[in-house]
Amino acid sequence: MPKQPRLTAKEAEKLLFDAEFLLLRTQGSHRIYQKHNVNIVIPFHSNKILHPKIVKQVIEAITDS
């Protein structure tokens, strides 16, 4: 099984926008994106690498849409 890519929040956001997700709202340092009935929450914390579970959610949402 291949390793997951290491993504920052900005890189994940770009992938979501390229997959036509919309920025639904912002709450504190978290941004919520939506496409159809799929919501993705990305925490934005000073160029830190996202947790692998969040990266997995982003990749699954992009491939399923």
Side-chain angles (χ1 to χ4, degrees), residues 7 12 15-16 40 42 54-63:
L7 297 175
L15 290 174
L16 290 172
I40 302 291
I42 304 288
I54 296 173
V55 174
K56 183 178 178 182
Q57 290 175 351
V58 169
I59 293 172
E60 286 178 356
I62 291 170
T63 56

Side-chain angles (χ1 to χ4, degrees), residues 7-17 23 25-33 40-51 54 58:
L7 297 175
T8 63
K10 287 183 181 182
E11 294 168 339
E13 181 180 51
K14 182 177 180 340
L15 290 174
L16 290 172
F17 283 149
L23 179 60
R25 62 190 170 96
T26 300
Q27 184 172 359
S29 62
H30 292 71
R31 296 182 187 173
I32 296 97
Y33 303 90
I40 302 291
V41 179
I42 304 288
F44 273 73
H45 297 289
S46 67
N47 270 346
K48 289 188 177 180
I49 301 296
L50 293 174
H51 192 277
I54 296 173
V58 169

